[in-house]
Amino acid sequence: MEYLSAVLQNLPPGVKTEVGSRRDRLGWVFQYALVDKSGTRSLAELRSYQDWYLRYYLKAVPGVAEVAPVGGFGKQYQVNVDPNRLQAYGIGINRVAEAVRQGNTEAAGRLIEFGGTEYNIRGRGYARSIKDFENIVLIASDSGTPIRIKDVGQVVVGPDIRRGIAELDGEGEVVSGIVVMRQGQNALDVINSVKAKIREIEPGLPPGVRIVPVYDRSDLILRAIDT
């Protein structure tokens, strides 16, 4: 993007650029289901593990463009405001949304040199619990008293809007992940690398949780090249 921005002004009139896709229509090469045999974990917990841990391990595999989640419940922190309280404090709903965005972010600082070594400074500001969201300040009253989110509503944990489900072998819903290959890569090499990564991380899975392959294109590839 940096190189591209430098040449845009030299392009002929009417010519524009766009970033191409990293994957093509045949990129769906592997799919797995995240199954809890112990029955102690909810679909929301499995989806959180898929989105925040397993997905990043598999995206690090060379040749993988994306690991798309399917099924389960996406975890959300939801702020349910009381309109009467907002009116009493003179606060608009846009201010609540802005405060949540500003109160759930990290800030970069400068460098500090100490003992011949440079250290990066970073402000840690991500909200990690309901209490963190409740204590986000909206405004200050005339007396200087801070008005927090908990003063105008309630913060709860709930599911995101569902855009589909995944079901396995007629035994109920599961959380699934679709491994999408980068454009121009060798599908068989990418699949073998994904399988090797899964074998590597399986010992560290939560107790009772298994990764079950449900689609593997390598079977088709091997049978095709065998003939």
Side-chain angles (χ1 to χ4, degrees), residues 90-129:
I91 301 174
I93 188 65
N94 291 335
R95 174 53 195 155
V96 177
E98 181 184 2
V100 171
R101 282 193 296 266
Q102 294 177 346
N104 183 36
T105 185
E106 295 198 352
R110 300 188 65 181
L111 299 175
I112 290 182
E113 184 177 349
F114 184 77
T117 304
E118 290 184 342
Y119 294 90
N120 289 314
I121 306 300
R122 182 177 64 175
R124 306 297 297 273
Y126 284 129
R128 300 180 179 274
S129 65

Side-chain angles (χ1 to χ4, degrees), residues 147-164:
I147 307 301
R148 300 180 175 89
I149 285 181
K150 64 182 179 182
D151 298 321
V152 299
Q154 183 183 20
V155 181
V156 298
V157 175
D160 194 1
I161 298 175
R162 303 191 73 186
R163 299 188 179 276

Side-chain angles (χ1 to χ4, degrees), residues 42-117:
S42 66
L43 290 173
E45 292 174 319
L46 292 176
R47 177 62 182 267
S48 294
Y49 186 82
Q50 154 70 23
D51 289 346
W52 299 104
Y53 295 96
L54 186 57
R55 174 189 176 195
Y56 291 105
Y57 282 118
L58 297 181
K59 281 190 68 175
V61 174
V64 173
E66 182 60 73
V67 179
V70 181
F73 294 90
K75 180 180 177 181
Q76 272 191 342
Y77 287 100
Q78 301 173 349
V79 180
N80 301 322
V81 297
D82 185 340
N84 295 324
R85 295 186 190 178
L86 288 179
Q87 185 178 19
Y89 287 115
I91 301 174
I93 188 65
N94 291 335
R95 174 53 195 155
V96 177
E98 181 184 2
V100 171
R101 282 193 296 266
Q102 294 177 346
N104 183 36
T105 185
E106 295 198 352
R110 300 188 65 181
L111 299 175
I112 290 182
E113 184 177 349
F114 184 77
T117 304

Side-chain angles (χ1 to χ4, degrees), residues 89-216:
Y89 287 115
I91 301 174
I93 188 65
N94 291 335
R95 174 53 195 155
V96 177
E98 181 184 2
V100 171
R101 282 193 296 266
Q102 294 177 346
N104 183 36
T105 185
E106 295 198 352
R110 300 188 65 181
L111 299 175
I112 290 182
E113 184 177 349
F114 184 77
T117 304
E118 290 184 342
Y119 294 90
N120 289 314
I121 306 300
R122 182 177 64 175
R124 306 297 297 273
Y126 284 129
R128 300 180 179 274
S129 65
I130 290 178
K131 186 177 180 180
D132 290 342
F133 281 100
E134 288 179 337
N135 289 325
I136 293 177
V137 176
L138 298 174
I139 62 173
S141 65
D142 295 337
S143 62
T145 303
I147 307 301
R148 300 180 175 89
I149 285 181
K150 64 182 179 182
D151 298 321
V152 299
Q154 183 183 20
V155 181
V156 298
V157 175
D160 194 1
I161 298 175
R162 303 191 73 186
R163 299 188 179 276
I165 67 171
E167 188 270 348
L168 181 64
D169 296 335
E171 298 180 358
E173 291 188 45
V174 295
V175 174
S176 180
I178 300 172
V179 179
V180 183
M181 178 184 67
R182 286 181 183 269
Q183 189 172 10
Q185 297 294 314
N186 184 296
L188 189 58
D189 291 342
V190 172
I191 294 170
N192 289 335
S193 297
V194 169
K195 290 179 179 178
K197 176 61 73 171
I198 289 176
R199 289 192 297 268
E200 177 184 329
I201 63 180
E202 274 182 331
L205 293 176
V209 176
R210 294 176 50 222
I211 299 176
V212 180
V214 294
Y215 172 69
D216 182 352

